[in-house]
Amino acid sequence: MLRVDLTNRKSWYEDIPAELLHSYLGGRGLGVRLMREWYRLDPFDPAIPLIFAVGPLCGTPAPTAARLTVVSRSPLTGTIYDCSAGGRFAWRLKATGVDALMITGASATPVAIAVTPSGAEIVDVSRLRGKTVHETVSALFGRGSVAAIGPAGENGVLFANIMMGEGNSVGRGGLGAVMGAKGLKAVTVNGDRPVDIACRERFETARQDVMRLFRASPVIFGELGIAEYGTPALVDLMRQRRMAPTDNFRRTVFEESGNYSGPAIRRDFHAKKDGCYGCPIQCKKSTPSGEHLPEYETVSHFGGLNGNAGLAAIVKSNTLCNELGMDTISAAATLSAWGEARGRFLDGGEVQGLLADMAFRRGEGELLSLGSRRVAEALGRPGLSMSVKGLELPAYDPRGAYGMALAYCTSSRGGCHLRAYPISHEILRKPIATDRFSFSGKARIIAIAEDTNAAVDSLVACKFSFFGATLEEYAELLSATAGIDYSPQQLKEIGRRICLTERFYNCDNGFGVQDDILPERFFHESGSSGEGIEVPPVARMRFEEELQKYYRIRGLTPEGVFADPDFLLKQP
Amino acid sequence: MFDQIARYMNKLITDRSALAGKIAIAAQDDVLIVDGNPALTHLAGDILARLSCLGLVVAAPSLPFADFLVARASREESCIIPRDTETRTFLHDIPFLRREELGENAALDIARLLGSRKGVVVEGVGIVASGALTIEQAYINYSSIFHSTFVKYLQDLLHDGFLLPGEAEAFAGFRRDWLRPLSADGLSFRLGPLADPAVILDEIATVGRYTVERGLVDSFFGNISCRTGDVIYISQTAASLDALAGCIDPVPMDNSSTFGITASSELLAHRRIYEVSGAAVILHGHPKFAVVMSMECDETECTVKDCWKDCDRVRMLGDAPVVAGEIGAGGLAKRVPPVIAGPRRAVVYGHGVFTLGEKDFAEAFQAMVEVENWCREEYFRRVAERLTACRG
Ligand code: SF4
Ligand SMILES: [Zn+2]
Ligand SMILES: [Zn+2]
């Protein structure tokens, strides 16, 4: 592990005990474990760590595993926070011989950290103050792969991203603002050390197994799947399932969503395949000139959620957010809540003006930069923030998938779709279909999926792999790489430890059953029924019953907290 | 969850993959529940409590093939490696426990193996399969293991003959009592062309049910489609053939919408077959004898290493051409369309059968019955030949 103290401008190597690597794998798990002494600190406290942790498969040809996780505490939600990102950055970091980069302290002037196999150098980059992500990345080009913040991160926008030079983002919870508070404009990494694989033959067999499963998965390599159309392949499906959030979640069908569907984006922008380094799926799309095209959640939120049908404006908003270093889901959802409060959604042009104002925190952007919960509270309409724990809900209406409803609330980082990721089985039928309008068994399913995905995030593999492959094949890849046998069951147990650790941190910071709740709207208002599909409000009693089941499965009290205050001390 | 348990218990009996009375199913919600054979429920509960899974099936298969495979395996082996595509893709291999390896705490040993795999064979007990998210998933894993051990045993027998006492008798009993004649007699199909969407949906669901009821295909292993104009109505991925209502996607031929992203992984194959053949319907399933026979290649000087994927020859099983190619984006969609238009049927190496109907499902169903019957007869002919050769 490489540690950098920005206050004292010092850097040094520290060993991570092998036991911690065994018990937490890497990525999210390792980062979360390393936060144990610091998780109570305010996200803007200079002493709080910002941790970049790669996974044990990084640098190997394991499909979709050249990723890393960034961990700290979220200024938007106050929860422990992690986010995984692809791009070249992860393996370039790993190739400097480092599994984790832990940054603490703060610099008074803008600096960058340049990591090479010989250590870290702190570089003055005052000239990059206020520059966009693109300008920053270009300026640091010669130093390898870049992770940078834009004006939003520098100005403390609560949902500012850290952007990878290749267009990938560390999004949602505002870790860009944590980075900004440290005076850290960018991190560059430039390693070239190869990674050892203990047993090549075993590794290759497992890799072939994964590829076979990818080919057998319609969601991944199917002709309508994400390799072809990217995640906007979901636009038509969500419309058809009547769970596309529209008009700040007042409705669940947006008639004009076909304007920004996968085929429409391909047609209008000549989308070509793009994606994370070393990933065979290449689910991201970009224009022939290299402009990154938006993901499903982004098109849907700048689209239907804000009542906009214009694809060009949506693409522009996405590009703007990327340049300014701001989360698209939270930005669009905040505008939507604000729009509903004011009785009118903005048109595409007005949106773009406000996005810039948000990033620079000027005019009305000052308030909007705080995210929908604080905006709605300031306007005296707290019910209009469609968020859980202050994290804006993405583009999956919880009235259309009850596992999703539950998962938004149990997620350790707030209203996020990626923790238990029930969309996989409730909508995409992978690995098996479940009834989306039923709570039956969902508490157990969510708990198992949270554990599984915590392992995935610690490996760090991409969740989309699991529309085809399972932990069985990834456990093989890991065993072959490390030369130590891991079974899927062991990985799930590691995942469970990670989830509980996160929950413990949150509980210790005051979170409990009162925070594990959806916005009122979903319990009172129906979605848009029709075409033979009824979308009633979520039944509150059943929701609460299932949440209590979840607590029992997790060994928590009915208040959703730990009965044992020493839980953490009993963990490795 | 008790209703779910009852449902899959019933399915295991009606599809004749497990012995009635020798089945236990366990599930864990916030508490653990088990039902079924009293001796097995205890075991099932003990195993599931040790796993991060929702469902578990423990059952004695209706045929002793899995046990035979274990007994025939050499001492060093600890897993069965079947050769069909289903297993190769989704299970990889099937670990087993020998009778004498079962220690004091059988649940612990079985759970340890299940910690790495979706299912195991326990000699003298049966097939134990888990489902991470649902009971249905445990049922499917049980079904896959039943299917693949069936196929592998039949194939091994063809190559090595009987090796154990009791095998010949059991095999004769299987042929006499377990197998039933396959036919389309007495089934009623709607006459094509089918154009009304409601009728199409209903007919697909009906035909799906027929394939399972007639014992042609196991419920999770196949897909069905029907084309009218610019739309292909196709069963969804991971849908069970005997419960297709609500699980059929209308997919536009021109890919102007992506909501068929949940359609069967063979959507591309179906589309290309429609393009080259002018057929109106496609039926696809994994009848067992066709799967066995598709892997019987006589080629002696073949240099191909991976026959499933790379064999570019076209062999014949009766009137049906056999080609290689893996599921989904794995090449089957490229190799089947060129050979299927004329004979209106084709077999995929280690995988299953595609048949076409020019107007409706009557023709496609009949064709699948014919392919499987031909393979069945040919199989028994070859087994007899092989056994005589041994004796001689
Ligand atoms: S599937 Fe997409 S997001 Fe995942 S690693 Fe590949 S390109 Fe990146
Ligand atoms: Zn098939
Ligand atoms: Zn061959």
Side-chain angles (χ1 to χ4, degrees):
Chain A
M1 169 164 69
L2 180 57
R3 294 202 48 183
V4 178
D5 173 359
L6 290 173
T7 306
N8 300 307
R9 304 209 165 216
K10 279 193 323 195
S11 71
W12 67 100
Y13 289 98
E14 259 175 30
D15 279 338
I16 302 173
E19 195 204 355
L20 286 196
L21 290 175
H22 288 319
S23 313
Y24 294 90
L25 300 173
R28 172 175 161 193
L30 180 61
V32 164
R33 173 62 183 82
L34 292 173
M35 285 291 289
R36 191 185 283 186
E37 286 146 58
W38 326 79
Y39 68 85
R40 291 190 195 84
L41 294 176
D42 185 89
F44 290 145
D45 188 313
I48 201 157
L50 180 69
I51 300 165
F52 291 73
V54 303
L57 295 173
C58 188
T60 73
T64 82
R67 302 175 68 88
L68 58 63
T69 307
V70 186
V71 183
S72 190
R73 192 174 171 198
S74 163
L76 183 68
T77 64
T79 63
I80 177 81
Y81 207 86
D82 71 279
C83 187
S84 132
R88 283 162 192 271
F89 189 92
W91 71 266
R92 281 265 178 89
L93 173 62
K94 172 94 176 185
T96 64
V98 164
D99 286 313
L101 170 66
M102 184 192 232
I103 303 159
T104 50
S107 160
T109 55
V111 290
I113 298 174
V115 182
T116 62
S118 46
E121 185 194 342
I122 297 172
V123 190
D124 180 87
V125 292
S126 297
R127 71 206 149 90
L128 296 178
R129 192 195 299 266
K131 296 280 192 239
T132 64
V133 170
H134 189 85
E135 289 163 342
T136 307
V137 170
S138 305
L140 295 170
F141 180 72
R143 290 186 177 267
S145 258
V146 184
I149 56 170
E154 290 176 64
N155 296 324
V157 172
L158 294 187
F159 44 90
N161 286 354
I162 301 169
M163 304 296 295
M164 302 294 175
E166 298 83 21
N168 310 72
S169 54
V170 175
R172 312 267 20 231
L175 296 190
V178 173
M179 187 156 150
K182 297 192 172 307
L184 182 61
K185 180 71 177 168
V187 179
T188 67
V189 290
N190 204 0
D192 52 9
R193 292 190 191 162
V195 170
D196 288 337
I197 295 174
C199 179
R200 292 243 159 221
E201 209 176 312
R202 187 175 179 189
F203 186 93
E204 186 48 30
T205 307
R207 203 186 63 84
Q208 289 295 341
D209 289 343
V210 170
M211 290 308 296
R212 237 182 338 261
L213 287 161
F214 282 5
R215 289 193 288 268
S217 165
V219 183
I220 297 178
F221 279 148
E223 55 175 332
L224 304 173
I226 57 173
E228 290 298 322
Y229 292 99
T231 51
L234 294 176
V235 170
D236 292 324
L237 186 67
M238 290 298 153
R239 155 74 182 78
Q240 203 272 341
R241 299 290 193 268
R242 307 186 81 84
M243 57 181 287
T246 303
D247 294 350
N248 201 32
F249 290 86
R250 275 183 297 181
R251 298 188 295 125
T252 59
V253 170
F254 184 57
E255 284 74 16
E256 293 161 281
S257 63
N259 280 356
Y260 50 76
S261 69
I265 296 176
R266 173 181 281 187
R267 186 187 63 226
D268 292 1
F269 284 87
H270 309 285
K272 64 171 175 60
K273 285 190 186 180
D274 197 343
C276 306
Y277 179 73
C279 171
I281 304 174
Q282 298 291 293
C283 78
K284 315 235 183 228
K285 304 295 153 209
S286 58
T287 64
S289 66
E291 181 179 4
H292 293 284
L293 290 164
E295 300 262 355
Y296 163 67
E297 290 79 7
T298 307
V299 286
S300 184
H301 267 17
F302 277 117
L305 197 71
N306 278 287
N308 285 328
L311 177 55
I314 293 172
V315 170
K316 216 158 169 201
S317 295
N318 180 60
T319 303
L320 210 53
C321 284
N322 288 345
E323 282 303 325
L324 299 166
M326 214 157 53
D327 185 70
T328 52
I329 300 176
S330 284
T334 302
L335 288 171
S336 179
W338 195 63
E340 185 178 352
R342 299 178 8 136
R344 183 180 75 84
F345 293 112
L346 306 169
D347 68 34
E350 291 171 290
V351 165
Q352 284 144 35
L354 267 179
L355 288 174
D357 288 351
M358 276 185 192
F360 289 97
R361 299 184 62 173
R362 58 193 180 211
E364 289 171 309
E366 171 70 45
L367 175 62
L368 292 169
S369 73
L370 304 177
S372 71
R373 185 174 67 188
R374 292 170 177 85
V375 169
E377 279 166 3
L379 298 176
R381 307 277 303 276
L384 297 188
S385 168
M386 296 297 128
S387 61
V388 174
K389 299 183 181 68
L391 187 69
E392 286 75 16
L393 299 183
Y396 309 88
D397 195 285
R399 285 163 298 203
Y402 295 170
M404 192 74 254
L406 197 59
Y408 280 146
C409 298
T410 61
S411 155
S412 52
R413 58 179 201 177
C416 152
H417 57 297
L418 289 166
R419 293 275 107 140
Y421 211 24
I423 289 306
S424 183
H425 49 89
E426 292 192 312
I427 303 298
L428 295 169
R429 309 179 61 85
K430 291 290 163 196
I432 181 94
T434 64
D435 181 356
R436 65 189 174 113
F437 289 115
S438 163
F439 274 113
S440 172
K442 291 288 166 69
R444 172 70 64 174
I445 292 175
I446 295 301
I448 292 172
E450 283 176 348
D451 296 349
T452 302
N453 286 328
V456 170
D457 288 336
S458 307
L459 281 172
V460 181
C462 174
K463 252 162 232 154
F464 296 158
S465 288
F466 294 78
F467 290 139
T470 68
L471 275 187
E472 252 178 76
E473 297 77 33
Y474 275 84
E476 272 298 299
L477 288 168
L478 177 63
S479 305
T481 304
I484 306 165
D485 276 338
Y486 285 90
S487 71
Q489 176 63 24
Q490 279 170 309
L491 291 178
K492 287 191 244 183
E493 280 157 19
I494 291 173
R496 178 164 184 273
R497 175 181 304 133
I498 295 165
C499 290
L500 288 174
T501 301
E502 293 172 357
R503 179 104 197 165
F504 191 93
Y505 291 174
N506 286 346
C507 289
D508 212 23
N509 280 327
F511 288 91
V513 64
Q514 71 284 354
D515 304 292
D516 295 347
I517 190 72
L518 287 171
E520 278 294 316
R521 167 163 286 167
F522 300 112
F523 297 114
H524 297 307
E525 300 172 24
S526 355
S528 310
S529 303
E531 298 171 301
I533 302 175
E534 274 296 310
V535 192
V538 176
R540 190 171 204 137
M541 289 258 295
R542 270 302 278 133
F543 172 85
E544 282 169 359
E545 197 179 288
E546 210 59 25
L547 185 64
Q548 286 300 325
K549 277 190 186 174
Y550 174 86
Y551 290 163
R552 284 196 289 280
I553 291 166
R554 286 295 195 207
L556 304 168
T557 69
E559 286 71 46
V561 299
F562 287 73
D564 176 7
D566 292 335
F567 168 80
L568 269 195
L569 301 177
K570 294 172 186 156
Q571 304 303 313
Chain B
M1 265 176 192
F2 278 102
D3 54 330
Q4 293 272 319
I5 292 182
R7 173 146 177 237
Y8 289 102
M9 192 112 48
N10 202 28
K11 253 185 124 146
L12 286 163
I13 296 166
T14 49
D15 70 13
R16 299 191 303 133
S17 62
L19 292 175
K22 291 226 167 159
I23 307 171
I25 296 184
Q28 46 188 347
D29 201 357
D30 52 337
V31 291
L32 184 74
I33 50 178
V34 268
D35 202 6
N37 171 301
L40 294 179
T41 50
H42 192 75
L43 180 66
D46 269 4
I47 299 169
L48 187 58
R50 296 168 198 275
L51 297 172
S52 305
C53 287
L54 186 138
L56 188 89
V57 171
V58 180
S62 56
L63 293 166
F65 297 169
D67 271 359
F68 286 152
L69 286 174
V70 174
R72 289 163 68 109
S74 70
R75 285 285 108 190
E76 319 69 79
E77 288 172 71
S78 57
C79 64
I80 301 169
I81 305 177
R83 288 173 281 259
D84 64 289
T85 304
E86 199 64 48
T87 315
R88 170 175 147 106
T89 306
F90 297 102
L91 299 172
H92 315 311
D93 56 38
I94 304 163
F96 60 75
L97 278 171
R98 291 191 170 86
R99 212 174 252 115
E100 63 268 24
E101 287 166 345
L102 276 183
E104 283 288 280
N105 195 338
L108 189 71
D109 298 333
I110 298 170
R112 187 178 45 77
L113 290 185
L114 274 178
S116 307
R117 283 290 183 263
K118 300 174 188 79
V120 300
V121 171
V122 184
E123 197 182 13
V125 175
I127 296 171
V128 186
S130 62
L133 303 184
T134 59
I135 298 169
E136 180 181 60
Q137 205 181 0
Y139 164 80
I140 296 174
N141 289 334
Y142 177 95
S143 244
S144 299
I145 292 175
F146 182 77
H147 175 82
S148 56
T149 50
F150 187 120
V151 167
K152 178 169 164 58
Y153 180 70
L154 255 50
Q155 215 192 351
D156 286 3
L157 208 55
L158 201 49
H159 293 207
D160 309 323
F162 299 123
L163 304 176
L164 308 166
E167 262 186 299
E169 294 72 23
F171 186 71
F174 152 70
R175 195 174 172 182
R176 188 183 57 235
D177 306 326
W178 196 90
L179 279 183
R180 290 176 186 166
L182 286 176
S183 86
D185 294 351
L187 299 176
S188 65
F189 296 91
R190 283 192 175 88
L191 290 181
L194 307 168
D196 176 4
V199 171
I200 292 175
L201 296 181
D202 188 60
E203 184 68 355
I204 291 179
T206 306
V207 174
R209 193 159 45 75
Y210 286 166
T211 61
V212 178
E213 279 172 8
R214 286 289 159 117
L216 196 52
V217 178
D218 292 336
S219 89
F220 277 92
F221 311 125
N223 43 68
I224 304 186
S225 75
C226 175
R227 176 188 179 177
T228 175
D230 291 335
V231 179
I232 301 173
Y233 289 84
I234 184 166
S235 56
Q236 293 182 336
T237 179
S240 76
L241 286 174
D242 51 348
L244 287 180
C247 296
I248 298 162
D249 287 329
V251 183
M253 280 290 274
D254 65 357
N255 278 353
S256 54
S257 138
T258 52
F259 96 79
I261 187 174
T262 51
S264 156
S265 53
E266 298 313 344
L267 171 63
L268 183 59
H270 285 240
R271 182 196 306 273
R272 292 215 178 127
I273 292 172
Y274 284 121
E275 283 165 0
V276 300
S277 70
V281 307
I282 300 173
L283 191 58
H284 167 57
H286 307 173
K288 294 183 169 60
F289 285 91
V291 177
V292 173
M293 293 308 296
S294 72
M295 293 186 283
E296 289 304 307
C297 176
D298 300 330
E299 195 61 50
T300 47
E301 268 152 44
C302 183
T303 52
V304 172
K305 294 245 159 43
D306 194 343
C307 302
W308 286 277
K309 201 166 92 205
D310 299 334
C311 180
D312 55 8
R313 295 165 43 102
V314 180
R315 289 179 287 120
M316 294 301 288
L317 288 172
D319 305 337
V322 184
V323 294
E326 289 191 309
I327 314 177
L332 167 170
K334 225 180 312 163
R335 288 216 173 93
V336 174
V339 300
I340 200 171
R344 298 195 175 280
R345 60 197 66 189
V347 182
V348 179
Y349 188 101
H351 180 157
V353 181
F354 284 82
T355 59
L356 312 185
E358 199 176 338
K359 288 207 183 61
D360 51 43
F361 284 106
E363 187 191 347
F365 196 94
Q366 182 60 36
M368 191 173 287
V369 167
E370 282 167 20
V371 172
E372 178 65 353
N373 275 334
W374 190 92
C375 291
R376 198 190 265 196
E377 274 163 41
E378 178 64 10
Y379 175 81
F380 284 114
R381 192 188 66 72
R382 288 203 203 177
V383 166
E385 200 175 84
R386 142 95 228 176
L387 295 177
T388 335
C390 282
R391 252 171 258 133

